[in-house]
Amino acid sequence: VFFHEKQYLERMLQFQRVAHLQQGLKPWREKEADIGFVPTMGALHEGHLSLIRESAARCGVTVCSIFVNPTQFDNTADLAKYPRTLEHDLNMLRSAGADVVFHPEVADVYPDGMDAVPVYRFGRLEEVMEGAYRPGHFAGVGQVVGRLIDIVRPSHLFMGRKDFQQVAIIADLLRQMGADTELVVCDTVREPHGLAMSSRNRRLDHSTREKAACIFEGLTWMVQNKDAFTLEELKAGFIERCSIPPFRAEYIEVVDGHTLEPLANLSDASYVVACAAVWAGEVRLIDNIVLSEVA
Ligand code: PAF
């Protein structure tokens, strides 16, 4: 087993240049293998690895990109503070079964400048929730994922449900691009007490990280009480649960899971999701939960 693993470890390919990546993927493309793609900004955790494992189980080759995309940060301090842990990430990717890692520089992704790469628009999908609090964020996400899809040309794209609005944006992006890529949405991976895995969690001190369980507890409480209270009361209950310092709820919205439009009543849509953003001191965390889904 050790020898097999050793061979495997040595086999993960790494590329920084677009042309080299495309050359590296050629043997798989010629074999018409399914190409699974997991775009990331690094600082990997179990949530990312679950996407890698899902891709490795379904596809002939799994490609992971590590690229901290400047165009999706509305705040330059947030971009500067974003954790960069390449060596650690590469080791994790090897152990999870990634075959190819693409970790380009800004000039590889945007060779003619950031303005030269198309920006997609997503209408209401990019105006609500995260879009309202982080103006321009989804334009940047759509721009970089569009560019990465053009580069990798994956048959399958794996994304985590924790970023619920991002998933809706990417589904719309694939539709606008006419990409022949299946979007595979994987469940949120949580820490033992319920906090959704996120690269930002590493910025929380131990005690705040433990207490951040209040976010998932608040969402779970909403599910448990959805038939007893109005949506306004459910939202107020969530805010109360996430208002113990250093926590402050930025928003809690109950939306139609397809259109992301806010709802007044649970019965107004067949797929209803509660989405929240909560500040834990200076760290902004998001999470969501399905309140109801009628097949
Ligand atoms: O979710 C993320 O990490 C990023 O938004 C993504 C999809 C990798 C685009 O930069």
Side-chain angles (χ1 to χ4, degrees):
V1 172
F2 175 72
F3 187 59
H4 171 79
E5 275 177 4
K6 191 162 173 286
Q7 280 182 324
Y8 193 76
L9 293 183
E10 282 162 4
R11 232 179 42 198
M12 191 173 81
L13 303 173
Q14 291 180 47
F15 301 104
Q16 203 175 335
R17 296 275 138 77
V18 172
H20 296 168
L21 170 76
Q22 285 170 338
Q23 190 64 29
L25 286 177
K26 247 191 180 159
W28 283 286
R29 253 193 247 291
E30 280 166 8
K31 278 192 284 181
E32 295 186 13
D34 279 345
I35 298 180
F37 178 43
V38 181
T40 80
M41 297 205 299
L44 302 183
H45 50 71
E46 269 304 312
H48 295 112
L49 298 192
S50 74
L51 305 178
I52 298 288
R53 291 191 194 104
E54 187 64 29
S55 171
R58 287 185 186 221
C59 298
V61 58
T62 292
V63 183
C64 176
S65 63
I66 297 178
F67 178 62
V68 183
N69 171 40
T71 72
Q72 71 189 75
F73 286 84
D74 44 321
N75 175 329
T76 45
D78 206 19
L79 170 62
K81 270 188 267 169
Y82 205 85
R84 287 159 171 85
T85 57
L86 185 62
E87 280 314 311
H88 173 256
D89 293 347
L90 294 174
N91 289 332
M92 288 180 88
L93 289 173
R94 278 190 198 100
S95 66
D99 302 293
V100 177
V101 183
F102 178 47
H103 50 90
E105 297 289 333
V106 174
D108 297 299
V109 176
Y110 301 112
D112 298 318
M114 302 186 204
D115 295 341
V117 172
V119 174
Y120 296 83
R121 301 315 324 204
F122 304 100
R124 288 286 294 153
L125 290 182
E126 67 175 321
E127 284 168 12
V128 294
M129 299 192 288
E130 290 302 285
Y133 287 92
R134 305 182 65 191
H137 170 65
F138 288 120
V141 170
Q143 183 185 36
V144 76
V145 177
R147 171 85 174 116
L148 292 169
I149 297 255
D150 278 338
I151 293 171
V152 178
R153 287 186 285 125
S155 58
H156 296 73
L157 175 66
F158 294 83
M159 306 212 79
R161 191 179 296 273
K162 192 209 72 159
D163 297 304
F164 189 76
Q165 189 169 5
Q166 173 166 278
V167 168
I169 293 279
I170 299 304
D172 196 59
L173 172 74
L174 294 174
R175 185 191 59 77
Q176 290 189 47
M177 293 176 77
D180 191 10
T181 302
E182 182 186 329
L183 180 59
V184 183
V185 183
C186 299
D187 282 344
T188 302
V189 179
R190 297 183 180 279
E191 298 195 1
H193 58 295
L195 175 65
M197 295 263 181
S198 163
S199 305
R200 289 161 189 252
N201 294 358
R202 65 176 72 212
R203 286 172 53 200
L204 303 172
D205 62 47
H206 180 73
S207 136
T208 311
R209 194 160 170 160
E210 292 289 306
K211 289 190 200 138
C214 65
I215 303 171
F216 188 55
E217 279 163 16
L219 292 172
T220 310
W221 174 85
M222 290 177 78
V223 175
Q224 286 161 350
N225 291 281
K226 65 181 179 175
D227 299 322
F229 295 117
T230 64
L231 290 189
E232 283 313 310
E233 288 166 338
L234 289 175
K235 290 199 267 184
F238 175 88
I239 291 172
E240 194 188 314
R241 282 164 177 77
C242 290
S243 295
I244 298 155
F247 296 92
R248 180 176 65 80
E250 186 160 67
Y251 67 78
I252 169 78
E253 288 285 4
V254 176
V255 300
D256 179 322
H258 299 295
T259 63
L260 306 189
E261 288 299 335
L263 298 172
N265 302 293
L266 202 58
S267 56
D268 289 348
S270 58
Y271 179 34
V272 181
V273 182
C275 301
V278 174
W279 285 96
E282 304 216 314
V283 182
R284 192 171 177 281
L285 303 170
I286 60 170
D287 202 352
N288 64 82
I289 204 162
V290 175
L291 287 188
S292 74
E293 190 168 12
V294 182

